[in-house]
Amino acid sequence: MKHKIIIVGGGTAGIAVASHILKNDESLDIAVIEPSDIHYYQPGFTFVGSGIYNPSKVRRSMQSVMPKGATWIKDSVISFDPDNNKVVTAKKGEIEYEGLVVAAGIKIDWDAVDGLAEAIKTEGVCSNYTFETADKTWKTLKTFKGGTAVFTQPKPPFKCPGAAQKIMYLADDVFRKRGVRGKTEIKFFAGAPGIFPIKRYSDPLNEVIARKDLKTNFKHHLVGIDATKKEATFEQVETGEKVTTNYDMIHVTPPQCAPDFLKGSPLSNEAGWVDVDKYTLQSTKYNNVFGLGDCCSAPNSKTAAAIKGQTPVVVSNLLTVLNGGEAGTAYDGYASCPLVTGFGKLVLAEFDYNMQPKETFPFNQGMERRSMFYLKKYVLPKFYWDVLLKGGNLGE
Ligand SMILES: Cc1cc2nc3c(=O)[nH]c(=O)nc-3n(C[C@H](O)[C@H](O)[C@H](O)COP(=O)(O)OP(=O)(O)OC[C@H]3O[C@@H](n4cnc5c(N)ncnc54)[C@H](O)[C@@H]3O)c2cc1C
């Protein structure tokens, strides 16, 4: 079997690239290799976990998002043979290509924390990081009776720099509305040294933390959880010192890593990420291979917003290379993080590789705004489904 262009993964990046290539030239022979029947709008998981969205709002059938003109191969890639322009899949075996795009996402590594894989199945332990566990977050928040509520953020890498804290701000509002905040202590443990790496956005977030009386513990990441005793153990990232706290509920942002099939592949770096030039997103080893989204080595913040910036670069460079030219279009590291700070409040962080703000609106985005909350709630999902995934104008 052979296709001119093969895309590995039908998530945000894979579908965006496929549809934008076909918008450029609908006659191109493109195949998307993707095992899942469902495509998820993951940026909506925070709103599922806080009861703002019904879970049905963040999932659609894979068939419905697959661009017309693309061939969907419902299979998993197990290895790469880039010297011979082939991928190997679990069911169909070898498939040849002229150009390859790898967009296989990031692995949620439940096993990286002692006891977490078991604990996540128990009452009071929840996570917005998968569709299956996001709805449990809402069930936990709306039935919480008070006590200690813990929110965790791992050491990098992880997707969406704000998701671990957004749910804490929303939980605080839910607890206040339900009258249980007075008998609740909220604790945030993060591997990072502060709430956000850019002052323009960390200033308003620190004000939110003070206003909401949240207890922060930076440079601490979760290393163990004992669901029987309802205890979570954290490690100080510099000294290795361990701290244990009890919890009545805990929202876990689990550790994340490169997908297993990428680790040790000829396309990947030591950590397993698809090794790409951070500007052109072209493989550092194979000219006809590109990587984008959560699985690539580019040091941007892993977000759907980054994929909005990466998609036109990959499409332009891939088509140029296939026509005999050289990759010349550059991605500047753009990423965005809509930092929801409560019901009706949001700080819209937008920045590039240099951690310099790269904002969309002609007003100060470094403050909480109601308008930005409505942007996240109503406009961004529409943009995702109808523009990013459909080959629409990305404003490049
Ligand atoms: C709770 C949460 C909140 C978030 N909030 C935001 C936000 O507010 N704003 C924002 O911009 N981003 C947000 N994100 C991040 C954003 O959703 C991701 O960065 C983005 O969806 C990643 O897209 P991707 O295509 O790289 O990976 P994915 O969309 O995860 O897709 C990867 C695809 O590859 C497939 N795949 C895996 N292995 C194989 C294989 N072996 N062969 C073939 N296919 C394979 C998978 O089935 C999957 O469909 C959030 C994420 C989470 C979890």
Side-chain angles (χ1 to χ4, degrees):
M1 199 193 289
K2 179 171 179 174
H3 290 277
K4 178 138 180 127
I5 296 171
I6 284 185
I7 298 174
V8 181
T12 310
I15 298 295
V17 168
S19 61
H20 281 83
I21 292 177
L22 287 164
K23 261 274 145 73
N24 227 284
D25 181 350
E26 60 181 21
S27 69
L28 275 176
D29 167 24
I30 298 181
V32 178
I33 306 177
E34 165 60 60
S36 173
D37 282 321
I38 309 289
H39 179 104
Y40 295 103
Y41 173 57
Q42 299 172 48
F45 286 6
T46 301
F47 279 179
V48 172
S50 49
I52 296 169
Y53 284 167
N54 186 290
S56 62
K57 200 167 162 63
V58 299
R59 54 180 272 161
R60 289 194 185 173
S61 72
M62 191 60 70
Q63 190 66 67
S64 71
V65 298
M66 198 57 65
K68 279 193 188 67
T71 305
W72 173 19
I73 301 174
K74 195 171 175 317
D75 205 343
S76 298
V77 171
I78 51 175
S79 62
F80 298 91
D81 180 5
D83 290 318
N84 295 302
N85 295 325
K86 286 176 189 167
V87 297
V88 182
T89 70
K91 292 190 265 181
K92 297 217 160 39
E94 291 182 352
I95 308 177
E96 269 184 81
Y97 60 79
E98 287 175 37
L100 176 68
V101 177
V102 187
I106 196 166
K107 176 182 166 181
I108 304 288
D109 197 358
W110 298 109
D111 293 326
V113 171
D114 259 3
L116 179 57
E118 279 311 307
I120 191 69
K121 297 175 199 150
T122 64
E123 209 185 310
V125 185
C126 55
S127 176
N128 284 347
Y129 268 75
T130 68
F131 178 77
E132 292 74 23
T133 52
D135 198 30
K136 189 179 170 196
T137 304
W138 176 229
K139 290 193 179 105
T140 306
L141 298 188
K142 70 180 179 191
T143 55
F144 186 61
K145 294 186 177 67
T148 306
V150 176
F151 294 82
T152 77
Q153 178 178 298
K155 288 195 289 189
F158 53 91
K159 53 184 156 186
C160 193
Q165 58 183 284
K166 297 187 236 185
I167 189 61
M168 170 173 64
Y169 305 137
L170 289 162
D172 170 83
D173 277 3
V174 173
F175 297 158
R176 283 173 201 274
K177 273 189 217 156
R178 293 191 44 245
V180 295
R181 182 65 180 97
K183 47 181 176 174
T184 299
E185 186 171 36
I186 299 184
K187 295 181 177 177
F188 183 59
F189 287 86
I195 196 67
F196 206 80
I198 302 171
K199 192 173 178 313
R200 182 174 178 82
Y201 308 117
S202 63
D203 280 351
L205 293 174
N206 281 319
E207 279 171 26
V208 173
I209 287 167
R211 183 178 78 220
K212 288 180 174 285
D213 190 24
L214 310 171
K215 307 279 182 267
T216 53
N217 302 270
F218 295 114
K219 298 190 186 173
H220 282 82
H221 72 123
L222 183 68
V223 290
I225 179 161
D226 183 334
T228 331
K229 291 188 184 154
K230 293 207 159 197
E231 282 179 358
T233 300
F234 296 87
E235 184 183 71
Q236 215 284 357
V237 295
E238 286 157 354
T239 62
E241 197 186 323
K242 301 268 186 352
V243 184
T244 297
T245 179
N246 72 299
Y247 66 82
D248 295 289
M249 71 141 282
I250 182 167
H251 177 274
V252 179
T253 296
Q256 293 155 52
C257 62
D260 291 336
F261 79 107
L262 291 180
K263 290 178 187 157
S265 111
L267 301 179
S268 302
N269 65 16
E270 257 181 37
W273 308 109
V274 178
D275 205 7
V276 294
D277 177 275
K278 72 178 200 178
Y279 299 113
T280 62
L281 304 173
Q282 185 176 39
S283 162
T284 52
K285 298 162 198 157
Y286 298 91
N287 280 352
N288 61 339
V289 177
F290 289 80
L292 80 162
D294 293 351
C295 73
C296 82
S297 65
N300 58 276
S301 182
K302 294 184 185 298
T303 54
I307 292 166
K308 166 186 173 275
Q310 293 174 340
T311 297
V313 173
V314 167
V315 171
S316 160
N317 286 340
L318 172 67
L319 296 180
T320 304
V321 167
L322 291 180
N323 285 323
E326 281 187 17
T329 311
Y331 165 58
D332 63 3
Y334 171 81
S336 162
C337 190
L339 294 149
V340 183
T341 51
F343 284 77
K345 296 193 180 82
L346 188 146
V347 176
L348 182 62
E350 293 185 286
F351 47 94
D352 62 15
Y353 275 139
N354 301 319
M355 293 292 168
Q356 289 307 309
K358 193 181 177 220
E359 299 183 343
T360 302
F361 297 100
F363 48 69
N364 177 9
Q365 291 181 210
M367 60 185 284
E368 292 177 281
R369 287 179 183 273
R370 181 172 290 272
S371 57
M372 296 296 96
F373 180 86
Y374 289 117
L375 177 90
K376 160 97 183 147
K377 187 173 174 188
Y378 298 113
V379 182
L380 295 182
K382 255 195 111 29
F383 176 83
Y384 183 88
W385 297 113
D386 298 342
V387 180
L388 182 62
L389 295 198
K390 292 238 172 90
N393 185 348
L394 298 179
E396 64 267 30

